[in-house]
Amino acid sequence: MAGEPQDDCLFCKIVAGTIPATIVRETDTTIAFRDINPQAPTHVLVIPKAHHQDAAALAAAAPEVAADVLRETQAVADEEKLESYRIVFNTGSGAGQTVWHAHAHVLGGRGLEWPPG
Ligand code: AMP
Ligand code: ZN
């Protein structure tokens, strides 16, 4: 069922605390933690605590939580003192999505090329 924890989901395990992560922020509905394989000086993932497979599924099922995730990306950027940053939602394996629990990448602290690869 949408939103329920999934036994085989890495990020549900991070939410549950059974897999460790470097958590930088937490709200009632979200957590933000450092990416284990950072692609920029700041690379933080903001996720809903509830399981949704991607950003669009999250927005459809729980739009208020999707808004919470976006609000938290700005909070992370503020804490990291980023004037500019990029929010990325890889959606689908062809776009590089590897974890099927919605997550916003917050990238900053270096020049960010546009268009991205
Ligand atoms: P994506 O490829 O867009 O699905 O993003 C998944 C991200 O999760 C990648 O950037 C991985 O480096 C990151 N990741 C995978 N395992 C962990 C972990 N245990 N803790 C933190 N980040 C992780
Ligand atoms: Zn999950």
Side-chain angles (χ1 to χ4, degrees), residues 1-2 4 7 9 15 18 21 25 28 33 40 52 63 66 76 93-94 99 101 104 106 109 113:
M1 193 178 140
E4 295 298 314
D7 289 344
C9 175
V15 171
T18 54
R25 289 185 58 82
D28 287 349
F33 53 95
H52 300 276
V76 167
S93 53
V99 178
H101 180 132
V106 181
E113 291 175 13

Side-chain angles (χ1 to χ4, degrees), residues 10-11 14 19-21 33-37 43 45 90 96-100 103 105:
L10 175 65
F11 288 176
I14 288 177
I19 288 181
F33 53 95
R34 296 201 186 278
D35 196 291
I36 204 168
N37 182 24
H43 188 172
L45 303 175
N90 293 325
Q97 186 175 3
T98 59
V99 178
W100 304 92
H103 52 282
H105 297 256

